[in-house]
Amino acid sequence: MAVTMEKIVSLCKRRGFIFQSSEIYGKLNACYDYGPLGVELKRNVKETWWRAMVYENENIVGLDAAILMHPKVWEASGHVEGFHDPLVDCKNCKQRFREDEIDPEKLAKRQCPVCGAKDALTEPRQFNLMFKTHMGPVEETASQIYLRPETAQGIYVNYKNVMDSSRLKIPFGIAQIGKAFRNEITPGNFLFRTREFEQMEMQYFVKPGEDEEVFEHWKARRMAWYESIGIRKEKLRFHQHGKDELAHYAKKAFDIQYEYPIGWKELEGIHNRTDFDLSRHQEYSGKDMTYFDDVSRERYLPYIIETSAGCDRTLLTVLVDAYDEEQLEKETRTVLRLDPKLAPVKAAVFPLVNRDGMPEIARKITEDLKKEYIVFYDESGAVGRRYRRQDEAGTPFCITVDSQTLQDDTVTIRERDSMKQDRMAMNGLSIELKKRICKSE
Ligand code: ATP
């Protein structure tokens, strides 16, 4: 079974994971809205990341900086001057491209990758990817500001605030999840490249000289995290940035790549940013950004190791990786084999039929389980159809009340992936669910 982006898009709409933004107005390109199941999945992705990065590390703390920042920040970071993509137009078919994404052979002939016309591409224009807006009531006199293109800068400018108020000593990290905006020239492939997205970033401040070892540590930890949320190992790999790919601020960079239906692409970047960011902020703000190490009595600008993941891109990865079409005897079953800890709904509860008191018992089970888990009650249609709907939603467990329940207070619990059903006592459900969800941790 080959999973395609179209299949994922269609499932996401059908089951209420993700919708195109402003669809009734003909859509807003490269922006997406999360529906009832999508929002739960996204919360679970973020929660799992936050736990792995903040709660499980004594020396990593959280931050939630504003999206709007002082315009000087983006001068210091290099984004005003350098956050450009080379934009070329085809004079024949009028399509636009990023020059660095065109096949080199075609580019040499200035040939359009879509219509094939030769000598048709314009010279590249540098296009800044930051969204501009104005702060203040009168546009002409108001100051121009930007929607942040990355969350990292909010961490750098706050590093001393966080360190001093939390009594942290180097090495330590600051983690943040938040929106970022980029006016991408070639967005597309669903959530892969959008113009508004969320990042999950952690910036780790270290003593120069200890950076390389810390880099290796986080590289391994981040890869392990993707495996811990159930992504198949063989679909993940590292890609080291060559000299031509390396950002101006980076000493070393690795991407974690995933094999999407569109090929191997970046999912997360791990960068050794050296003291570039802090030295630039020191220069532009005139504030001292150095750290005084009271053990070695040294003063220095810390190096920064960054782990920068896309939340929406992780979600896309999780969906692509979990999607399966299983051939059964008489039909094809579409199933999202999501890790139970990420699944939007943990269990669905069904009365086998709508009589003999079964709905009442099923509702009671739902009410009890709701205190601990997101559960979903469903009594509509044939039970087989109800199972299929939950398979598509990635719900790991379905609990069914049947005629035997009326006699001995037992129910069946069906496991999504194997479709295996076990019969068990109704009053042990909560513990059983916990056991089965935790097994994936
Ligand atoms: P590219 O070169 O593909 O434009 P990048 O290398 O500039 O991306 P980073 O700035 O390192 O990307 O961003 C870190 C992470 O943020 C990426 O690994 C990705 O998961 C996510 N990300 C970046 N741009 C987008 C986007 N337009 N849409 C969705 N996620 C994005």
Side-chain angles (χ1 to χ4, degrees):
M1 189 270 322
V3 50
T4 60
M5 232 32 134
E6 290 71 30
K7 285 182 179 175
I8 301 291
V9 173
S10 148
L11 175 91
C12 282
K13 178 159 186 195
R14 194 162 72 238
R15 283 289 158 249
F17 279 94
I18 295 148
F19 311 119
Q20 181 82 54
S21 164
S22 320
E23 201 181 75
I24 61 166
Y25 289 102
K27 82 181 191 186
L28 181 68
N29 201 16
C31 294
Y32 290 91
D33 299 339
Y34 286 84
L37 290 184
V39 75
E40 297 302 336
L41 180 58
K42 197 175 192 189
R43 285 169 66 115
N44 292 341
V45 166
K46 290 197 243 183
E47 161 68 23
T48 313
W49 183 88
W50 194 262
R51 187 145 34 99
M53 302 307 277
V54 181
Y55 301 151
E56 289 175 12
N57 295 289
E58 241 174 59
N59 63 346
I60 300 185
V61 291
L63 180 76
D64 186 9
I67 288 171
L68 304 177
M69 301 182 76
H70 196 290
K72 279 250 175 203
V73 168
W74 306 111
E75 287 175 35
S77 69
H79 283 82
V80 170
E81 200 188 337
F83 197 48
H84 295 110
D85 274 345
L87 175 72
V88 292
D89 293 287
C90 171
K91 288 183 249 179
N92 185 44
C93 71
K94 312 289 178 218
Q95 297 245 31
R96 292 201 150 151
F97 311 96
R98 255 168 73 171
E99 192 183 39
D100 57 340
E101 284 180 348
I102 301 174
D103 172 70
E105 271 181 38
K106 289 206 166 86
L107 190 61
K109 295 185 221 147
R110 308 303 296 167
Q111 186 182 5
C112 173
V114 170
C115 75
K118 290 187 186 148
D119 274 327
L121 300 180
T122 59
E123 281 306 302
R125 277 183 293 140
Q126 292 303 323
F127 176 76
N128 195 295
L129 303 183
M130 282 198 291
F131 279 99
K132 293 187 189 102
T133 187
H134 292 93
M135 197 159 187
V138 185
E139 205 173 292
E140 291 73 40
T141 55
S143 57
Q144 180 181 286
I145 55 167
Y146 302 97
L147 301 186
R148 69 179 175 201
E150 63 175 31
T151 55
Q153 300 301 325
I155 294 181
Y156 305 148
V157 300
N158 273 301
Y159 119 89
K160 282 220 151 172
N161 283 337
V162 172
M163 185 169 66
D164 295 344
S165 56
S166 317
R167 304 172 60 78
L168 287 162
K169 287 194 187 333
I170 276 178
F172 72 92
I174 304 176
Q176 175 168 229
I177 299 176
K179 289 267 187 182
F181 303 82
R182 294 182 189 179
N183 200 0
E184 300 275 4
I185 300 172
T186 48
N189 292 310
F190 195 33
L191 298 181
F192 184 81
R193 192 179 298 286
T194 55
R195 293 198 168 109
E196 172 178 342
F197 55 98
E198 271 186 280
Q199 291 188 310
M200 306 187 292
E201 294 195 309
M202 194 279 293
Q203 312 290 330
Y204 203 75
F205 298 80
V206 297
K207 184 174 176 181
E210 288 171 10
D211 50 314
E212 306 225 345
E213 198 184 324
V214 169
F215 184 90
E216 293 307 319
H217 169 83
W218 281 108
K219 195 177 137 220
R221 284 277 301 271
R222 291 306 305 146
M223 182 61 104
W225 183 75
Y226 288 105
E227 288 169 26
S228 82
I229 59 168
I231 309 284
R232 285 168 291 171
K233 217 182 166 125
E234 66 272 21
K235 293 280 185 177
L236 292 162
R237 73 175 187 195
F238 283 116
H239 163 76
Q240 180 166 17
H241 284 209
K243 278 208 173 66
D244 50 331
E245 291 169 275
L246 216 53
H248 60 282
Y249 53 75
K251 175 172 160 190
K252 196 176 198 182
F254 273 80
D255 292 340
I256 294 178
Q257 294 186 331
Y258 179 81
E259 191 178 17
Y260 296 96
I262 49 171
W264 287 96
K265 300 271 179 204
E266 171 180 345
L267 166 58
E268 166 163 350
I270 298 137
H271 310 127
N272 183 342
R273 302 183 64 119
T274 66
D275 62 2
F276 173 80
D277 305 279
L278 293 182
S279 66
R280 293 277 289 195
H281 285 303
Q282 180 162 276
E283 181 188 336
Y284 279 71
S285 69
K287 299 280 185 313
D288 177 17
M289 299 297 262
T290 57
Y291 172 81
F292 182 69
D293 188 328
D294 53 16
V295 178
S296 68
R297 317 294 300 168
E298 283 172 275
R299 184 170 286 285
Y300 57 81
L301 271 177
Y303 270 28
I304 294 172
I305 306 299
E306 164 184 73
T307 70
S308 177
C311 176
D312 314 77
R313 210 177 273 185
T314 301
L315 201 127
L316 174 66
T317 312
V318 162
L319 288 170
V320 166
D321 204 68
Y323 186 94
D324 193 16
E325 287 171 9
E326 188 180 11
Q327 202 53 52
L328 304 177
E329 239 172 71
K330 289 200 193 110
E331 58 173 327
T332 309
R333 174 173 90 114
T334 303
V335 50
L336 270 188
R337 302 187 190 278
L338 294 175
D339 189 300
K341 63 179 173 293
L342 294 185
V345 176
K346 302 300 183 214
V349 187
F350 310 146
L352 185 63
V353 290
N354 288 333
R355 55 182 151 77
D356 305 332
M358 290 183 208
E360 288 75 11
I361 300 172
R363 283 217 185 265
K364 171 81 174 55
I365 292 173
T366 309
E367 285 312 308
D368 288 347
L369 292 178
K370 259 191 177 159
K371 292 174 197 141
E372 284 177 89
Y373 310 101
I374 298 184
V375 283
F376 180 78
Y377 173 83
D378 188 6
E379 57 177 29
S380 60
V383 77
R385 294 273 302 279
R386 286 180 256 164
Y387 283 137
R388 293 293 174 270
R389 281 202 293 266
Q390 294 307 319
D391 288 343
E392 279 200 337
T395 307
F397 308 108
C398 289
I399 296 156
T400 303
V401 171
D402 56 16
S403 50
Q404 198 175 324
T405 313
L406 308 174
Q407 290 157 22
D408 63 6
D409 288 338
T410 61
V411 291
T412 60
I413 178 164
R414 169 193 181 265
E415 204 261 329
R416 175 197 64 207
D417 294 346
S418 62
M419 296 190 288
K420 194 169 144 280
Q421 298 196 18
D422 296 316
R423 186 163 278 282
M424 59 167 294
M426 210 159 73
N427 62 10
L429 274 171
S430 170
I431 294 171
E432 182 63 21
L433 276 184
K434 179 157 286 149
K435 240 185 1 208
R436 292 190 184 206
I437 295 167
C438 288
K439 220 165 59 185
S440 72
E441 282 183 4

